[in-house]
Amino acid sequence: DLPHDASSPQPSVASDAVQDRLLAAGRLAEILVGIESNAKGGTARYQELRDQLLDLVHALPESLAQKSAILQALDEMDKGFVAKTKSSWRSQLQSALDLLQS
């Protein structure tokens, strides 16, 4: 074994897992942005992806600075959701996506 040099960066398994969740949540949010909620089956697909996205965000550590803002944006998205009006929820989702990618 080589001696550990405290000054050399060591990969962090926890931060890798957080980064993986952020990337997965960002990809899911990008898919969700493309949902046609006013099309047949669109509301069910919206709800399915929203639930998956919420699960990923809830799994992020509380110490992550943007977590509460992401959850707030997603909550506002869901409160404003009107299936026949895509603009009722997409801007809040875009806000969450911007936070996920920051």
Side-chain angles (χ1 to χ4, degrees), residues 1-66:
D1 284 348
L2 296 173
H4 174 66
D5 179 0
S7 66
S8 66
Q10 297 294 314
S12 169
V13 173
S15 65
D16 286 349
V18 169
Q19 202 59 7
D20 288 348
R21 283 192 190 108
L22 284 169
L23 289 171
R27 285 191 299 270
L28 202 53
E30 288 173 352
I31 294 168
L32 188 52
V33 165
I35 293 298
E36 296 294 333
S37 59
N38 54 343
K40 183 176 180 173
T43 297
R45 185 73 175 135
Y46 163 88
Q47 292 168 339
E48 175 189 345
L49 293 173
R50 176 212 54 208
D51 291 349
Q52 290 176 25
L53 181 56
L54 282 170
D55 287 347
L56 282 170
V57 174
H58 280 294
L60 293 169
E62 294 301 323
S63 59
L64 188 68
Q66 67 263 45

Side-chain angles (χ1 to χ4, degrees), residues 66-101:
Q66 67 263 45
K67 179 178 179 175
S68 64
I70 294 167
L71 287 171
Q72 182 177 353
L74 293 175
D75 184 55
E76 290 172 9
M77 173 191 79
D78 212 37
K79 285 179 182 175
F81 179 80
V82 177
K84 64 182 179 179
T85 310
K86 292 179 280 190
S87 62
S88 69
W89 56 273
R90 281 203 175 139
S91 63
Q92 294 89 352
L93 177 58
Q94 189 59 54
S95 295
L97 181 56
D98 293 344
L99 289 163
L100 285 164
Q101 295 174 338

